[in-house]
Amino acid sequence: MAKTVAEGFFTDKRLKEAKKLIQEALKEHQSKITGVKAADEGLKESYTELLKKVADYRGGALFYNYLGSGIGHGPLVELADGSVKYDFITGIGVHYMGHSHPGVIEAQIDGAVSNTVMNGHLQQNLDTARLLELLSTQACKNGAEVKNVFLTTSGAMANENAFKIILQKRTPASRFFAFEKCFAGRTLGMAWVTDKAAYRQGLPKTIDVDYIPFYDANDHQGSIDRAVYAMKKSITRFPGGHAGFCMELIQGENGSWVGHKDFFEALIKVCQENSISVFIDEVQTFARTNKLFTFQYFGLDKHADVVAIGKNSQVCATFFKDDHKPKPGLMSQTFTGSSSQIAASYYVINEIVNGDYMGEGGKIDKLHARFKSNLEKIAKKHPEKLSGPFGIGAMVAMSVFKGDEAKTKAFTFKLFENGVLSFMAGGHPTARVRFLMPVLVTEEKHIDEVCSIIEKTLEAME
Ligand SMILES: Cc1ncc(COP(=O)(O)O)c(C=O)c1O
């Protein structure tokens, strides 16, 4: 069979040899990273200067004093001051494969030696074809119809595309439903969907959103009734005015609040009765429950009209049903993603789908169970300092100091100093500390070490 020049190049034995050498060097060097470590005295000064330079050039200090050195080992990451920390927030749920994962590095090298840095909608390489097939097949494997996949470069942009698709289909309806305290991204459009006033201060209104209270596990039927009532009331107030409902099935930025199948089905029924499209924002939840998509976890496959993913998927994408196909001209973008990103995305998603991560009793369930039981033990010992844990699968959260925002923030900074990366979510009086662990490389012993650092950090705080 005829071969392209590229096939000859990518299978050239010199390339294979070079990759082998890189892997050998990586293994040798990353084996020195074995656990949490304080900064090197000799690097402290230059690191402080580096942080100052970054703050000056980016127009503001970094949240944490975090500048990675460029290497890590599983869930451990080395910073440029020589310190080593557990990365249990993974760039807010992005580094699913941890740090310096050999398989991901190999995929990235394949991307890096291909002809262009970036792929775009006008010119993309063949790797995109296999990625689209993988994403589409996985999304539709239980009967969902969102087979069309449009790649993009951020979660917010994947959401923008979802909104545009729905608004065009449902025109002249222009309003959206979303859940109270949801997060949808930071573009001009998404800033008006995200339910946080501070994130849109001074920005002109771009979209009308009616907020529906989220599910309350302590009041199952009551919260369903209240949400359905709020939706119906709003539909009566704006007849024919709603185009779509943007649903985060597990609220991530708000602190891992988990919804319920009955709750979503009740709201989706109202959507269907009123020609309102169901949009599921999976930017944060993708690959975090024991199903690849959280709409699969809740069994909502048949109801999804449009879905967005990002973060763990390494590339971002909007999925849509045939009946939501946009008209020519509505969507395009220069970039779909970098060549390395697209290759890494294929590798990571394949690994998730074919490894032992998903399904009941899979790795995600096991990691969750271990994290939960460790945190429960700490909560029992220190009920005034820790409550929870909350969340599901690889989205774990806890409350410290009864959800006090200032103390929660202080705790996350202390935890960072002590060697664990976490992040604050939500706000007073329900602020939480959350963890998005690197599932591919986390083992139970890592969770035990992280929990022991959590406990020591809490004990040292008043
Ligand atoms: C649910 C959800 N949607 C959208 C976004 C926006 O993604 P990005 O930051 O990649 O634009 C986020 C980011 O945290 C998110 O959690």
Side-chain angles (χ1 to χ4, degrees), residues 92 154-157 159 183-186 248 253 281 283-284 311 316:
I92 320 276
S154 73
M157 202 55 220
N159 281 358
F183 184 86
R186 291 175 184 275
E248 224 188 322
E253 295 301 298
D281 175 354
V283 171
Q284 187 149 155
K311 296 180 185 269
C316 302

Side-chain angles (χ1 to χ4, degrees), residues 148 205 275 375:
N148 307 287
K205 189 183 228 183
S275 302
L375 291 178

Side-chain angles (χ1 to χ4, degrees), residues 119-124 150-153 157-158 160-162 164-165 168 318 320 326-336:
N119 280 242
H121 283 285
L122 189 64
Q123 292 175 235
Q124 38 199 321
F150 186 87
L151 297 184
T152 185
T153 44
M157 202 55 220
E160 285 280 335
N161 286 331
K164 283 165 72 175
I165 287 170
Q168 187 178 69
T318 312
F320 48 95
K327 296 195 176 82
L330 189 76
M331 291 200 319
S332 187
Q333 259 179 258
T334 303
F335 297 145
T336 50

Side-chain angles (χ1 to χ4, degrees), residues 104-337:
V104 177
I105 287 196
E106 176 147 356
Q108 286 189 89
I109 294 170
D110 289 337
V113 297
S114 72
N115 57 332
T116 53
V117 175
M118 299 300 283
N119 280 242
H121 283 285
L122 189 64
Q123 292 175 235
Q124 38 199 321
N125 286 348
L126 77 178
D127 276 2
T128 300
R130 61 176 191 170
L131 179 60
L132 293 179
E133 184 181 8
L134 177 63
L135 287 170
S136 180
T137 320
Q138 286 301 323
C140 299
K141 73 175 190 184
N142 300 327
E145 292 171 30
V146 286
K147 70 178 183 51
N148 307 287
V149 188
F150 186 87
L151 297 184
T152 185
T153 44
S154 73
M157 202 55 220
N159 281 358
E160 285 280 335
N161 286 331
F163 272 67
K164 283 165 72 175
I165 287 170
I166 292 170
L167 287 166
Q168 187 178 69
K169 178 175 170 67
R170 302 291 183 193
T171 187
S174 62
R175 305 184 75 85
F176 258 77
F177 285 113
F179 291 122
E180 285 176 2
K181 298 190 181 175
C182 72
F183 184 86
R186 291 175 184 275
T187 53
L188 262 178
M190 291 310 109
W192 277 95
V193 179
T194 295
D195 187 18
K196 196 147 183 174
Y199 293 177
R200 57 177 118 90
Q201 203 184 354
L203 305 184
K205 189 183 228 183
T206 50
I207 186 149
D208 285 310
V209 177
D210 297 305
Y211 293 99
I212 302 299
F214 195 64
Y215 177 68
D216 179 357
N218 296 317
D219 185 11
H220 177 82
Q221 197 52 47
S223 64
I224 296 175
D225 294 345
R226 278 191 297 279
V228 168
Y229 176 76
M231 244 188 115
K232 287 189 173 167
K233 201 168 152 193
S234 192
I235 290 170
T236 310
R237 183 171 290 142
F238 303 105
H242 292 89
F245 196 143
C246 170
M247 296 187 175
E248 224 188 322
L249 304 180
I250 303 169
Q251 294 196 308
E253 295 301 298
N254 191 32
S256 307
W257 295 77
V258 187
H260 194 285
K261 184 180 168 68
D262 298 347
F263 176 76
F264 297 124
E265 281 182 343
L267 298 180
I268 287 169
K269 186 165 170 282
V270 183
C271 286
Q272 287 165 347
E273 287 163 0
N274 292 279
S275 302
I276 295 168
S277 299
V278 175
F279 163 47
I280 302 185
D281 175 354
E282 294 243 16
V283 171
Q284 187 149 155
T285 52
F286 180 78
R288 294 234 156 247
T289 64
N290 64 14
K291 294 274 165 38
L292 189 64
F293 290 84
T294 301
F295 70 75
Q296 293 169 337
Y297 176 82
F298 287 114
L300 305 174
D301 303 69
K302 293 272 188 320
H303 307 307
D305 292 313
V306 181
V307 176
I309 62 165
K311 296 180 185 269
N312 283 332
S313 47
Q314 309 303 307
V315 294
C316 302
T318 312
F319 298 67
F320 48 95
K321 284 170 36 178
D322 277 343
D323 68 357
H324 277 66
K325 262 191 188 166
K327 296 195 176 82
L330 189 76
M331 291 200 319
S332 187
Q333 259 179 258
T334 303
F335 297 145
T336 50

Side-chain angles (χ1 to χ4, degrees), residues 37-70:
K37 181 173 156 289
D40 284 335
E41 281 304 320
L43 291 173
K44 275 188 176 167
E45 207 181 305
S46 59
Y47 191 66
T48 307
E49 273 167 31
L50 208 57
L51 287 168
K52 194 177 166 307
K53 193 192 281 184
V54 170
D56 284 348
Y57 283 119
R58 78 189 277 277
L62 295 165
F63 187 78
Y64 286 133
N65 286 339
Y66 180 107
L67 284 172
S69 69

